[in-house]
Every structure is written in structure tokens, then in C-alpha cells.
Amino acid sequence: MAAQQNDRMNNWRANFARYTPTMGLRDKRCARSPSDCLSLLLYLLCPILFCVLISATAFAQNRTIQEDYNAIQNAHDLYYAKKYAEAVAAYQALLKTPLHKNSKDSIRMNLGRCYTSLGDDALALKSFQAVIDDDPNGSYASQAVHQIGSLFRQRYQYKEAIRGCQQLVSKYPKTQTESTARYLIAQYLSADGRYDESIENYLSFLNDFPNSPYRVSALHSLVHLYRVRHRHADAEKLLQTHLRQKPNDVDLMEKLATLYKEQGKYAEALDLYRAALQQNPNNTSILKQLGELYAQQGQRDLAVHEWSKIIQNDSNKSYQYQQLGGIYTSHQMYEEAIQAYEDALRINPKTAYLYNRLADVYKIQGQVDMAVNTYLRALRAVDIGYSGRDTVIKSMAEIYEGEQQERLFEQITQQLQKNLEAEPQNLGLVLSLAEVFFYQGDLEASLEYFKRLRQLYPADRGRILEKYAQILERNQQPQAADFYQAIVTLFPNTHLAWSSQMKLVRFYERREQWSDALAILTTMTQQNSDSAAQLLLGDVWLHGIHDVEAALQTYQRLASQPLTPPQRAQVQLGIATCYILQGKSAAAEDILRPVADGTGKLKAEAQKLIGDAQLFRGDLEAAVAAYKSVLDIAMADPLSNDALDRIVLIQSNSDYSNEPLKRYLKALQSDLSGQTEAALTLCQQTMKEYPTALIVDDLWMLIGDIHQRREGYADAIVAYQEITALEASSIAAEAKTKIADIYRWQLGDLPEAQKTYSALIADYPESVIVAYARQQLDEIMKLLR
């Protein structure tokens, strides 16, 4: 063995001597000719030249790439505008062009997000996987791992998210991808409640990836889990180990000190807090916790001494006084808290949040007058455009309830009106009155002050009024229409006026005020050929007014105009729906098939309409297959519920050789076509001929819906009651809900609505509608107080 080693050493020396020039000529045997020296030089330089050549080639190639920057930006604009189907097409086209690596990765990441939003998980995963495959150590790869996990985590499918990350760990060992995936696995295990497994995974992650950017986050999560599992000794040991490695790490000191404090080890906690403050004397978090430590031990003066140091830093004194006010409030030191908030307001007098916190201190002490005065100070001081003005009014409303609240608002409005008489041009007072009347419920008076604000404040662009219109819309209050209409009147010929009209139309749609929606859209489309408004007009004709011919004409006019791909697809669906209701199912399918076979977001809707076409022509088996295809396309799509309902309708009503079912479908088709009298007659004839048919409850439901739509509420209630009287009807809870809704919304009979909602909850406790009924019942109870 020794001889072999000597031979290898001699060979190495010989090779070394062959390629090493002598430093002098004393040893003649080592002298080399000029050609030998040149050979040696080339030998040494070749690797360097090769690297330079590769780099130069790559640089030259990079420079030769001419990206279409406008196309890239346009694609990104579509993505950020949430036009995902259009963005997909744009990104796919870009990926066929020359791109720099960063651009390519960014495009594939956004492409994956588009597929996620469109519900196509397979293509989303494929896009993210391609980014990782290119460079599993790149920054985009780390983002892609997060996206893959998030695809399942956002649906609370933690097991699937963990499985996906484990596959990445196996496929890309010893890479940034593995590091990120291992971190996420521990995180998802914790979210899934598997705390002990999560702890083990965090530990192995910290051991294997000590330099990961997620190290600090993982450490904090691990300490938290130890505390959740009451493994304080393990948490303490972990923090001590890391602190020995980084003895000056203030964050670790704070974490360990807090752990000591929670266990009552006050001396150890005190030493660590002091050591941390030596490293960072202005750390407000540590000052706060050190003060709390003294306060827990009853050393109030020492606590105040430490807390007072918070304001010694001049970087942001208003915020530090605010912090101090919160600390004093939490320790019931109200006089000190008031002073701290006043000091903060002295520095920053236009911050609504500070006035609210100061008023809170007064309310805690029962000093309501001082709280109200503080709110009034806020309304005078916080200018228009500053955030938080509306929170002042809301906070005032929370002082009292019922009659006391009404008296308080009367007092406030009187004071504000008196102030406004003295300062008639004060914008803040005008806006305050508009807001106070709004929250008081006097919407007519509120709107008058908003109109006055417009006269005094030309710079207003209507955004304030829009905010309150949206609040009314969310609360389903009919006065939202007045506020939107005021925007149209006060700010004519603006984009805001146009968008307010569109919102008003949709508001009327939800309330089934189809004539009002039609009137606005007719005016809009006469003034402007905007395709979105015309498309909405077609939908109102079709789904609201049930005038199929008018809808078809609207869609056909639109089809000849320049449209975006999604708009063109919507027009095709509109035309196809008209054909279905006209009995032209074959023509409808010809239009729908390309959309259903495509990749756009209307794919599921087109497939559902194919099912409708087959359903209304009586091909029930084909219709079921078509509806099942909707479920295959996207279970999360709201249309999946409609498809399931149709499948259940077909499969649950096969008695009498499907004859009653087919007659019901004919009645439904007549109703959707605007032939309501024919629909009613057909329903009644079918029930007379087949009184025991399984479809009877659906026939009564259709009759009730027709009467309700025609404002024949008494007849509608009678029809719905027929359903609730049937034994084992699957739609009885829905019928009961419609009766209660009529009493509440259409007839305004709150006691009867209360009674009906209560009966619904008692009679159908397992129904999913019960949650809605409870919500309505709670709101009615508040109104009846």
C-alpha cells in the first residue's frame, strides 16, 4: 500500500513539474523551452477563457432578446383588472415569444394565479411547477412553492397542501424549494391541529436549514407551539440554545424573558429585559413589557418610570404617546392615559383614532359628557378626506341604545347646527351633520347636507357620497337608490356617474325592480353605445322582463359591434338562452358548444345551458349527463348548485313515465318566456290530472313565484302554504322562507314575519336556511324594540 502511495505521489510530482516553469536556471533539468511555457500558459488560461466565452455568449444572447414590453404590460393589466380569461390568452401568447428569465418566471407565476382564480387547479399547478423546474433555487421557485401550498390551504385542505409540499421535498432535495416546502409543511401541520407533528417538523427544519430566511418565523412558531402544548421547559431550552449562538439578539432575549414572566420567574425575566435594553435602549416593546413586569409585582412607580421612557425617542412622539395611553388604560391608570392621549393630539390633532381612544377612557369612567365633547372636537378638527371621520360617528352611536341614543343624536345635531349657523362655510360641520343624520337614520336630511357639501366643496368628486350609498346598498335599504341617483345628478358626465348608474341597475336587479332597471339602461344606451350597459340591457329584458324577442334583438345588435372575448362569449350565451326559450335547442347547442369546449370562465355556464337545451326538449338522460359535466368542470362554481338542482329534479320526478315532469318543464319554459298565464294554466291542469305526482310541490312553487313577481302576495302565500302542507317535501323550508320574506320585505308586517321565521327554525332545524332565518329574526327583534 505504501509503495502504491509513493508511485502516485511521484506521478503527481512529475505531472506538476511538467506544467510548472522554473523560477531560475540553477536546476538545468527543470528548464523548459519557450514552446513549453506557451503550452503551460494556454493550459492555465483555457478554463478561464472558456468561462469568459460562455458568459459573453450568454450576455450576447440576453442582449439579443427583444421583449415586447407593451404586450407584457397589457397582459399584466388584464391580470390586475381580474380579467383572468383574457390574461391567460395574453400570457400564453407571450410565452411563445423571446423572454428574459425574470419576465418568463413572472408571467408563468401570474398565469398560474389566473388558472387558480378560474378554478383550473391542474393548469395552475403545471405553471407553478414549470417555474420550479427551471431553477429550484430561484426566488420565483420559492414563490411557486407558496402558491402550490396556498392553492389547497385557502380551501382548508391542509392534508392536500402537505402532500403537495412533501412531493416537492422529494423531487428537489437540498434546494431552496425543499427549504420552503419543509417550512410550509410544519406550518400546515400546525394549522391542521397536528401540533406535535408540527413541532418535530419545525425542529428538523431549523436543524437542516439554519440560514433559511424563514428561520426566525419558524423559531417563533415553534416557541408558540411549545407554549400551546405547555412544554415550557422545551421552549426555554430552545431559546437558550439559540441565544448562546447569538448572545446579543434582542428578539431572542425578549422572547425568553416573556416566557420567564409567564412562568412567574420574575428575576430571570428582569435580567433579560435589562440586558436587552442595554443592546437597544429605545425598544418600546421591551420597555412596555418591563413596565408590566414591575406592575405585576406591585411596583407601580417603577412601571411608570419604564413606560415614560417610551416617549424619549423623538422619531414619532405622537405614536409613542398613543402607545403610552393604551398601556395606562389597560392598567386602569385613567388620568395618566388621558394626559398621554392629549399629548398625542397636541402633536397630531387631525387623527380621528386618537379622539376615539380618548373618548373610550372617558366612557370607561362613566363621563359621557366628556366623551361626547371629545367626539365633537374630533368632528371639528378632522378635515374632509382624513381617514377615520366616520368612525367618530359610529363610536358616538355606541354610547347608548334606543331612546337614549335618539336623545343623544338630537343633542349632537342641535349643537352642530348651532355651530354651523356661526360658521356657514365650515365644510367639516356640513359633513358632520350629513354623517350624523345618516347614522341617526334620517336619510332624507343626510342627503340634503351631502348636496350642500357639494355646493361648498367643488373639489369633491362624489366619493364620500358613494361610500354612504354603498353602505345602504350592503344593508339592502331602498334609499340606496336615492343616494346613487344623487351622484348622477350632482356629478353629471363623469365616470363616477356612469358607474353609479350601473350599480343602481344591479341594485334594482337584486330587488327585482326590473322596470326601474330597464328605464335607467334605456337612457344610458341611448346616450352611449357602451357594450357593458347594452349587455346588461339584454340581461334585464331576458331574465327580468321576460321579453325574449327584445332580449334577442339587443344581443344580435351587440354581436355586430367590437367586443372583448369575454363580452362576445356573454352575448353568445344570451342568444343561446333566447333560442332555448324559443324552442330552438339545436341552434342553441351550436352556439354553446365552442364556449363549453374552451377554457374561458363561461365554460361552466355554457355547459349548464346545453343541459337546459336538452332538458326543455325532453331529452332527460342527455340533460343529466350535461349537468354532471358542469360538476366536472368546477365544483366550486355557483352554477354547480343549479346543475345539482336540475339533476335532483329529473331523478326525483320520474313517476307517470316523466309526463308530469315534462309538463312542469313546459310551464317553466313558458314562464321564462314571459307567457305567465299559459304557465299558470299548465301548472293547474297538470295538478288536476296528476294530483299525486311527485312534481306537485315544484308546480306550487312556480305558481307562488309567478304571483309574487306580479305583486299578488296573498295568492303567493297561499301557493307556498300548499307546499308546507305537503308531507316530506324537499322544498318546504324554502317555501316557508318565501312566506316570511313576503311578510318582512313586501308587506312590512314584522310581527307576522317574526312568527313565520320562528316557526321555520322550529319546524326545519336541520335546514341550511335556518342560519338565514336566525339572522332575519335578530334584525326584526332589534326593529321591534
Side-chain angles (χ1 to χ4, degrees), residues 259-406:
L259 189 64
Y260 283 142
K261 185 175 68 172
E262 290 175 353
Q263 298 177 81
K265 299 179 179 180
Y266 297 128
E268 293 90 335
L270 185 61
D271 289 342
L272 271 175
Y273 281 136
R274 286 172 173 168
L277 286 172
Q278 288 180 350
Q279 299 292 327
N280 187 354
N282 295 323
N283 189 309
T284 56
S285 174
I286 296 175
L287 288 169
K288 176 184 175 181
Q289 293 187 67
L290 179 56
E292 288 177 349
L293 178 61
Y294 284 129
Q296 287 177 7
Q297 295 177 293
Q299 297 173 292
R300 184 181 173 121
D301 291 340
L302 288 176
V304 172
H305 176 71
E306 295 299 331
W307 289 329
S308 65
K309 294 178 184 177
I310 291 174
I311 60 173
Q312 292 176 359
N313 187 354
D314 293 332
S315 62
N316 189 352
K317 273 203 170 182
S318 175
Y319 177 68
Q320 289 157 357
Y321 276 119
Q322 174 188 318
Q323 280 188 302
L324 200 55
I327 292 170
Y328 286 139
T329 302
S330 66
H331 287 83
Q332 301 179 7
M333 300 167 65
Y334 300 124
E335 292 303 319
E336 292 85 348
I338 290 171
Q339 185 58 55
Y341 284 128
E342 290 288 4
D343 289 336
L345 283 167
R346 177 174 43 80
I347 299 168
N348 198 352
K350 296 184 182 297
T351 303
Y353 177 83
L354 293 173
Y355 289 103
N356 283 329
R357 298 291 74 76
L358 176 58
D360 286 344
V361 178
Y362 286 126
K363 285 193 291 186
I364 291 170
Q365 295 178 291
Q367 301 180 39
V368 175
D369 289 341
M370 291 299 296
V372 171
N373 288 337
T374 303
Y375 290 131
L376 291 173
R377 279 175 58 193
L379 293 175
R380 291 180 63 86
V382 182
D383 291 336
I384 293 176
Y386 277 74
S387 64
R389 268 192 62 91
D390 55 336
T391 64
V392 175
I393 308 291
K394 291 178 184 177
S395 298
M396 266 196 290
E398 293 171 358
I399 296 177
Y400 293 123
E401 291 184 356
E403 294 181 2
Q404 285 182 303
Q405 185 186 85
E406 290 180 13

Side-chain angles (χ1 to χ4, degrees), residues 480-504:
D482 298 329
F483 276 64
Y484 279 126
Q485 193 58 56
I487 294 173
V488 176
T489 304
L490 295 173
F491 306 93
N493 304 318
T494 63
H495 176 72
L496 180 62
W498 182 264
S499 66
S500 295
Q501 285 178 303
M502 295 291 279
K503 290 176 182 176
L504 184 54

Side-chain angles (χ1 to χ4, degrees), residues 499-762:
S499 66
S500 295
Q501 285 178 303
M502 295 291 279
K503 290 176 182 176
L504 184 54
V505 168
R506 294 189 178 95
F507 176 71
Y508 283 142
E509 277 187 315
R510 286 192 293 274
R511 297 176 63 84
E512 297 186 353
Q513 296 175 238
W514 299 108
S515 297
D516 293 323
L518 182 62
I520 294 173
L521 284 169
T522 302
T523 302
M524 291 176 70
T525 52
Q526 288 172 348
Q527 296 172 348
N528 191 318
S529 60
D530 180 77
S531 53
Q534 292 186 64
L535 189 58
L536 199 52
L537 176 61
D539 292 346
V540 169
W541 277 123
L542 180 60
H543 303 294
I545 307 298
H546 296 301
D547 189 331
V548 177
E549 192 59 39
L552 184 58
Q553 290 176 6
T554 304
Y555 291 132
Q556 287 174 335
R557 282 196 302 269
L558 260 176
S560 62
Q561 298 179 13
L563 299 170
T564 64
Q567 286 178 331
R568 188 161 298 282
Q570 286 179 302
V571 169
Q572 289 172 317
L573 295 190
I575 292 173
T577 305
C578 292
Y579 284 162
I580 291 170
L581 296 177
Q582 290 177 338
K584 303 174 184 177
S585 59
E589 284 193 63
D590 289 341
I591 295 173
L592 293 167
R593 188 63 63 186
V595 182
D597 293 341
T599 59
K601 62 180 180 180
L602 296 176
K603 178 182 177 75
E605 186 173 349
Q607 185 63 42
K608 189 262 180 184
L609 285 173
I610 289 173
D612 289 346
Q614 294 164 343
L615 179 70
F616 286 128
R617 73 164 176 250
D619 194 347
L620 303 181
E621 187 175 341
V624 169
Y627 292 134
K628 287 182 177 178
S629 295
V630 176
L631 307 182
D632 294 336
I633 292 170
M635 272 297 294
D637 195 299
L639 283 171
S640 62
N641 291 330
D642 294 337
L644 282 170
D645 288 342
R646 290 283 202 247
I647 292 171
V648 171
L649 177 71
I650 295 168
Q651 295 179 342
S652 302
N653 295 284
S654 59
D655 56 337
Y656 298 102
S657 302
N658 293 319
E659 185 59 29
L661 171 61
K662 290 180 179 179
R663 292 194 184 188
Y664 165 78
L665 294 171
K666 183 64 178 176
L668 180 60
Q669 187 176 19
S670 297
D671 178 45
L672 294 174
S673 302
Q675 303 170 35
T676 53
E677 289 300 332
L680 286 172
T681 300
L682 192 51
C683 287
Q684 291 162 352
Q685 289 176 347
T686 304
M687 287 191 291
K688 184 177 181 179
E689 190 169 346
Y690 299 96
T692 60
L694 296 171
I695 199 73
V696 165
D697 53 355
D698 287 288
L699 290 164
W700 278 119
M701 183 68 80
L702 181 54
I703 291 172
D705 290 346
I706 291 172
H707 285 309
Q708 184 177 1
R709 200 164 57 241
R710 297 163 72 175
E711 300 183 6
Y713 301 122
D715 291 333
I717 290 174
V718 170
Y720 295 140
Q721 286 173 337
E722 290 286 349
I723 301 171
T724 61
L726 294 171
E727 292 185 8
S729 171
S730 61
I731 57 174
E734 182 184 351
K736 194 90 168 181
T737 304
K738 291 196 173 192
I739 295 171
D741 285 347
I742 289 174
Y743 283 128
R744 181 177 181 189
W745 301 109
Q746 276 74 41
L747 301 179
D749 189 341
L750 294 183
E752 195 62 37
Q754 178 187 9
K755 177 182 175 182
T756 310
Y757 283 126
S758 299
L760 169 64
I761 295 169

Side-chain angles (χ1 to χ4, degrees), residues 399-429:
I399 296 177
Y400 293 123
E401 291 184 356
E403 294 181 2
Q404 285 182 303
Q405 185 186 85
E406 290 180 13
R407 286 196 296 271
L408 174 62
F409 270 117
E410 287 175 5
Q411 173 189 342
I412 292 169
T413 51
Q414 289 173 4
Q415 182 64 50
L416 287 171
Q417 286 172 328
K418 182 178 179 181
N419 294 339
L420 186 59
E421 288 175 5
E423 303 176 66
Q425 303 298 312
N426 189 309
L427 300 177
L429 290 173

